[in-house]
Amino acid sequence: MCEDAHPVARRALFLTGAAAVLTSGGMTFAAAADQKQETHTLRGTLPPGAPDFVYVPVEVPAGVRELRVSYAYERPAVPAGTPGNALDIGVFDEHGTDLGGKGFRGWSGGARGEFFVRADEATPGYVAGPVREGTWHIALGPYTVAPQGLAYELTVTLTYGEPGRAVRPSYPPSRARGRGRAWYRGDCHLHSWYSDGRRTPAEIGALARAAGLDFVNTSEHNTHAGHGAWADVAGDDLLVMLGEEITTRNGHVLALGTAPGTFVDWRYRARDNRFGRFARQIRRAGGLVVPAHPHATCIGCGWKFGFGEADAVEVWNGPYTPDDEVALAEWDAMLVAGARNAMGAGPGAGGWLPAMGNSDAHRDPDVVGLPQTVVLADDLTREAIQEAIRAGRSYVAESSRLSLSFTATGGKGEHAGIGERLNVAADTPVTIRLSVTGAPGCTVHLVTDGGLVFTGGPLPDAGAGAGAGTGVVEWQTTASYAAYVRAEIRHAPTAPSLPGALAAFTNPVFLGTR
């Protein structure tokens, strides 16, 4: 074993646009003909204010069967309110570290202390394939650095020998057996052990079926390596779409339903003016761009890129919390702004922004399908589900026990549903009808561009037997009074003067001519 100390010097810093990266001292392997394995260890320290990414070059000779990496770092005590050390890790191969990920071979963030790559297999989150000769780079991501600095130790072991046989990935089909045009339930933000989750794809599939879901979307942090692990999870009763959660330092975004094998880079900030490039990449790969938990309080989680490139926004993430309430209010404000501009554009990027909800489930006791997005789609295919999400023909519910219908009807029988427009004159009477089942003890609310206009309930509680949680509300309005109407179903408040947690909410129905 060889050991080297490489404290990271600030003179090694170089800039790429507005974002800084850094290359530290590296490791060189020169295998003797009869050597079976070689290990080098490097130690270094990153200062407070270190760049987002530090690359450690590793010179890999010919004849390597496996590359294995382990790392550890110090976690000194810090003052209250001060972030401690957190160091992410990944690897790029001989194709380099340029933005776009041509050399990307895997990322595990802070979820693992060790990983390996070889032709026939790799650690979950890493891409199996040959370990070719050239300069590889271990990517270190100092997520947070303590005032004392971040001292780390990095160990790389190369095993020599003939490479194993490469395994061709098997991807899930892009359709399942649907029911034609119908309401389908899904959860599009899930993590398995292919990133920082603790469940296998098979376990997630079983939980999705138990939750009454018809579709899911994979969303591992900053890696596509798990795309080939879901073929056996999919079935006639469950559509599995493939994607990624792109976890930047300025917010997270879901690539929803991209083509198998699509990798989207995450190594940029809002000030770099690069997000548009990767949003376009997601769409070219057939996916949707969905900012996730835009007001989450974790470091780097708050969304800073704006919503001009978004196809939808994840307003509700996991069990309902105050940051979801803030996201709901921000989304409603965007609807109001759109109404002020006469709603000239359709839904999706550049128009009004449909909302959705997902569980972001990682491990027990996280509940898959809490919440779930319920879409009106022409069939249970990737394209049909995406089109319904993009069009806003959807509502969000806390479980499959809750169902609703929400419509607007004009005086001559004109009809529009969620995400649609009722084209009526400004003074035409309009009847809004909300029907709910499975929401015992909840109240119903109608919201327009003017704010909350109706509150009803509570719905019968569980003691009401078959009628528990069931109710119908009708409300009269005109397009001149309400540019749109949307519905919320809420639990009873847990504190005075605060709203109760959502049990469900809908995308809007728009009223009036454009």
Side-chain angles (χ1 to χ4, degrees):
M1 173 184 291
C2 298
E3 296 189 3
D4 298 289
H6 288 278
V8 176
R10 289 189 181 274
R11 59 183 170 83
L13 183 69
F14 65 92
L15 300 179
T16 58
V21 297
L22 183 149
T23 300
S24 79
M27 305 179 186
T28 298
F29 289 79
D34 59 348
Q35 194 164 14
K36 294 182 178 179
Q37 196 172 80
E38 187 178 2
T39 298
H40 284 207
T41 295
L42 179 148
R43 296 182 178 89
T45 300
L46 300 175
D52 289 345
F53 302 101
V54 176
Y55 298 103
V56 179
V58 178
E59 298 300 330
V60 176
V64 174
R65 171 181 171 82
E66 178 187 275
L67 178 144
R68 184 174 294 268
V69 177
S70 63
Y71 81 120
Y73 58 93
E74 293 182 358
R75 295 173 172 84
V78 297
T82 302
N85 284 333
L87 184 63
D88 296 340
I89 196 167
V91 68
F92 290 77
D93 67 17
E94 79 283 359
H95 291 102
T97 63
D98 288 349
L99 197 64
K102 183 179 180 182
F104 177 78
R105 291 295 293 272
W107 183 257
S108 49
R112 289 181 168 84
E114 184 177 9
F115 66 84
F116 72 89
V117 175
R118 61 175 186 257
D120 59 343
E121 191 178 359
T123 298
Y126 291 79
V127 180
V131 182
R132 292 176 289 259
E133 180 180 6
T135 303
W136 288 52
H137 288 86
I138 309 302
L140 301 178
Y143 185 63
T144 55
V145 178
Q148 301 94 320
L150 195 160
Y152 65 89
E153 179 179 279
L154 180 66
T155 299
V156 178
T157 298
L158 301 185
T159 300
Y160 301 94
E162 291 297 319
R165 177 178 295 181
V167 178
R168 293 178 61 88
S170 177
Y171 299 120
S174 61
R175 65 171 53 244
R177 182 188 298 163
R179 304 181 298 276
R181 188 173 176 84
W183 291 95
Y184 297 99
R185 295 175 177 269
D187 188 345
C188 294
H189 190 166
L190 294 161
H191 296 278
S192 76
W193 66 1
Y194 282 87
S195 58
D196 62 343
R198 293 293 180 267
R199 292 165 172 153
T200 66
E203 289 170 334
I204 292 174
L207 291 170
R209 289 177 166 93
L213 301 184
D214 301 293
F215 64 92
V216 295
N217 177 74
T218 72
S219 55
E220 310 296 0
H221 292 284
N222 303 335
T223 182
H224 64 297
H227 282 188
W230 290 84
D232 291 341
V233 177
D236 287 345
D237 61 335
L238 184 67
L239 171 69
V240 176
M241 300 187 294
L242 303 175
E244 181 185 334
E245 182 176 8
I246 300 98
T247 307
T248 80
R249 292 291 196 264
N250 285 156
H252 302 183
V253 60
L254 302 177
L256 197 162
T258 48
T262 299
F263 167 71
V264 184
D265 214 320
W266 76 100
R267 295 170 294 160
Y268 44 86
R269 290 182 180 241
R271 64 177 181 257
D272 301 331
N273 197 29
R274 286 168 171 164
F275 174 65
R277 165 186 168 184
F278 294 100
R280 291 188 292 275
Q281 179 197 351
I282 292 169
R283 291 197 190 91
R284 286 195 302 271
L288 302 182
V289 178
V290 184
H293 47 65
H295 289 280
T297 56
C298 45
I299 294 173
C301 293
W303 184 247
K304 307 296 185 184
F305 294 91
F307 295 95
E309 295 284 357
D311 295 300
V313 59
E314 186 186 74
V315 166
W316 183 356
N317 174 278
Y320 200 73
T321 55
D323 59 277
D324 298 310
E325 190 70 33
V326 175
L328 180 70
E330 178 182 59
W331 171 66
D332 187 72
M334 288 191 285
L335 293 178
V336 172
R340 186 169 59 245
N341 295 326
M343 304 306 299
W352 74 273
L353 195 61
M356 63 185 307
N358 302 298
S359 73
D360 198 2
H362 284 68
R363 59 188 67 82
D364 292 339
D366 296 353
V367 178
V368 172
L370 170 60
Q372 53 195 244
T373 299
V374 191
V375 301
L376 179 60
D378 289 335
D379 206 348
L380 190 53
T381 67
R382 184 185 79 170
E383 294 80 3
I385 295 297
Q386 289 175 313
E387 193 276 330
I389 293 171
R390 186 187 296 111
R393 294 196 309 271
S394 58
Y395 66 90
V396 180
E398 63 184 0
S399 77
S400 60
R401 294 185 297 274
L402 195 154
S403 297
L404 61 81
S405 66
F406 187 59
T407 59
T409 305
K412 297 181 180 179
E414 309 96 320
H415 178 90
I418 299 169
E420 298 175 339
R421 174 175 292 276
L422 185 66
N423 285 291
V424 293
D427 59 351
T428 298
V430 173
T431 299
I432 304 297
R433 189 176 193 273
L434 171 66
S435 175
V436 183
T437 62
C442 293
T443 54
V444 296
H445 307 261
L446 300 181
V447 182
T448 73
D449 53 308
L452 179 65
V453 294
F454 177 87
T455 299
L459 299 174
D461 62 21
T470 299
V472 176
V473 166
E474 290 192 351
W475 180 70
Q476 305 293 320
T477 190
T478 63
S480 62
Y481 182 78
Y484 67 83
V485 187
R486 61 180 185 82
E488 297 177 358
I489 317 300
R490 289 185 178 266
H491 292 284
T494 57
S497 74
L498 292 178
L502 281 179
F505 76 98
T506 73
N507 275 298
V509 178
F510 296 101
L511 307 180
T513 56
R514 294 189 187 279

